[in-house]
Amino acid sequence: MPTIPSLTVRRIRERQSHDPAVLRAILDEAVVAHVGFVRGGHPLVLPFLCGVGHLGDGAVLLLHGSTGGGLFLDAGAEGVPVAATVTHLDGLVFARSTFDSSANYRSAVVVGNATVVPEDRRAEALWQVSDHLMPGRRAEVREMTTKEVRATQVLQLPLEHASVKVRAAGNGEALDDGEDHRVWAGVLPLALRAGAPVAGDISGDSSVDASVLGVAERFDRNADDREARIAAIMRHTTA
């Protein structure tokens, strides 16, 4: 296992958070994790559906894929060194110069040895990923078949080594900053919202299940919360 690299933020260090609750909040909202690893001496980064789960030894980041997926084959019996990243882009910050423009974000990097979930825990891990992405769905659908479980795989990555960085601020400005204040400056909030559910061809007149509506409400609620946080920040900075 390679040595864990330093995870200390070197630039604008005050944006780094060491609060485990901030890390969990970022991961709890995650849908996709981008996972970096080295194959044949060349770095690769691949997206994975993910979830936070518990398989007996503390919280882990669960990465969902196929038993034939390359990273799962790379992991073998010993695991594979990876770096998994999750980023939520909360807004673009428009300043009165491009140099001073920025973005509001919450990001987490988790590094360590990703190992294959043991076969006897695989179904449990898959349900945990499902519960993370689609809470309540398990009660509405049939159980997974043995064949389906065998065709799917999950990697688990401990949260022991992680780095979190957050920017949640407005644009820097002052009355005497010499900028042209006729140019608009501020924050454009960005968030992932749910669209209207689109039924499959043979769903007929079936009503939309509660889990689908619940996930849509969660995305919209998170988006509303982001906009409210940005509005509060802007009120504070202009007060």
Side-chain angles (χ1 to χ4, degrees):
M1 175 67 186
T3 302
I4 298 296
S6 172
L7 297 177
T8 300
V9 171
R10 296 185 179 182
R11 186 175 182 277
I12 316 181
R13 294 188 177 186
E14 63 271 19
R15 292 183 184 172
Q16 184 169 27
S17 174
H18 300 282
D19 186 348
V22 177
L23 171 64
R24 280 302 305 269
I26 292 172
L27 297 182
D28 285 345
E29 197 175 327
V31 175
V32 173
H34 287 87
V35 181
F37 57 100
V38 176
R39 179 182 294 157
H42 199 285
L44 294 173
V45 177
L46 298 176
F48 289 85
L49 288 175
C50 66
V52 177
H54 296 265
L55 296 174
D57 294 317
V60 292
L61 183 63
L62 298 172
L63 306 171
H64 176 278
S66 166
T67 52
L71 184 59
F72 297 89
L73 298 177
D74 292 348
E78 301 298 325
V80 58
V82 302
T85 68
V86 169
T87 301
H88 302 298
L89 183 60
D90 293 333
L92 288 177
V93 180
F94 288 77
R96 294 186 175 89
S97 70
T98 54
F99 179 82
D100 292 324
S101 297
S102 186
N104 282 337
Y105 59 86
R106 291 163 293 137
S107 65
V109 179
V110 183
V111 300
N113 197 48
T115 57
V116 174
V117 171
E119 187 174 353
D120 62 341
R121 306 297 296 272
R122 189 183 303 173
E124 179 184 359
L126 289 170
W127 281 124
Q128 289 186 13
V129 173
S130 174
D131 291 341
H132 174 94
L133 298 173
M134 303 174 180
R137 190 58 170 168
R138 183 177 185 179
E140 300 167 347
V141 299
R142 61 168 176 78
E143 288 289 317
M144 292 178 289
T145 67
T146 301
K147 182 178 179 181
E148 289 170 340
V149 173
R150 287 177 177 171
T152 318
Q153 188 53 282
V154 183
L155 289 176
Q156 55 182 337
L157 178 62
L159 304 184
E160 180 181 3
H161 302 290
S163 176
V164 173
K165 192 175 180 182
V166 176
R167 186 193 193 278
N171 57 294
E173 62 181 359
L175 290 174
D176 58 354
D177 58 16
E179 299 286 359
D180 182 356
H181 290 172
R182 292 172 298 178
V183 176
W184 186 90
V187 178
L188 177 66
L190 299 175
L192 187 62
R193 288 187 179 272
V198 180
D201 290 341
I202 61 174
S203 290
D205 296 327
S206 301
S207 58
V208 180
D209 291 321
S211 67
V212 180
L213 298 176
V215 171
E217 291 171 1
R218 182 183 65 179
F219 277 112
D220 290 345
R221 184 170 59 251
N222 287 341
D224 290 340
D225 288 345
R226 293 186 194 187
E227 292 183 4
R229 288 197 302 270
I230 290 174
I233 289 169
M234 299 305 288
R235 287 195 299 270
H236 175 74
T237 56
T238 56

